[in-house]
Amino acid sequence: HVQLVESGGGLVQAGGSFRLSCAASGRTVSTSAVGWFRQAPGKERVLVATISASSFTTYYEDAVKGRFTISRDNAKKMVYLQMSSLKPEDTAVYYCAAARNGVSSGQWHYWGQGTQVTVSS
């Protein structure tokens, strides 16, 4: 069983930076792809970035390309989302999720509870 716990959110001014962390537990997490999703008020949850188990493959939504960087440390069972040049439209609850069978499966088996990121203008 995998448990995910996000941390690192808060309030920041536009142009600022945050690093979100996702602490994972469970034996299968190191072999699972991990993704960061976000959900803004009144909107659907959106996939923001993903990283494969080996870190070889990453994906970014167009809106965050060049500003966000996803990384992982399997030894520490941690996944990070470095966010820079933040914009008010980045305001959302950010979730990390793990996919046992890879991103292409579209099946996100485990979810964290989310962490709020608020960007003021």
Side-chain angles (χ1 to χ4, degrees):
H1 184 65
V2 174
Q3 288 187 315
L4 303 173
V5 178
E6 303 95 336
S7 61
L11 174 64
V12 69
Q13 287 189 329
S17 299
F18 263 137
R19 189 178 80 159
L20 303 183
S21 298
C22 176
S25 62
R27 287 189 296 175
T28 61
V29 66
S30 297
T31 59
S32 298
V34 175
W36 284 96
F37 292 74
R38 66 184 179 185
Q39 186 166 21
K43 296 188 177 181
E44 293 186 352
R45 191 173 297 186
V46 175
L47 179 60
V48 173
T50 67
I51 187 166
S52 62
S54 66
S55 300
F56 185 77
T57 304
T58 58
Y59 157 85
Y60 297 95
E61 183 201 18
D62 285 346
V64 306
K65 280 182 181 177
R67 299 189 299 121
F68 289 13
T69 302
I70 189 170
S71 61
R72 66 190 295 165
D73 183 336
N74 284 343
K76 296 181 178 179
K77 294 186 178 180
M78 296 291 295
V79 180
Y80 306 100
L81 186 68
Q82 179 68 46
M83 307 186 295
S84 60
S85 301
L86 284 163
K87 305 174 182 180
E89 51 263 44
D90 294 318
T91 295
V93 178
Y94 284 72
Y95 301 88
C96 66
R100 291 198 305 259
N101 301 317
V103 174
S104 59
S105 72
Q107 296 175 317
W108 298 93
H109 299 90
Y110 309 105
W111 291 84
Q113 82 289 349
T115 185
Q116 176 71 47
V117 172
T118 303
V119 184
S120 63
S121 57

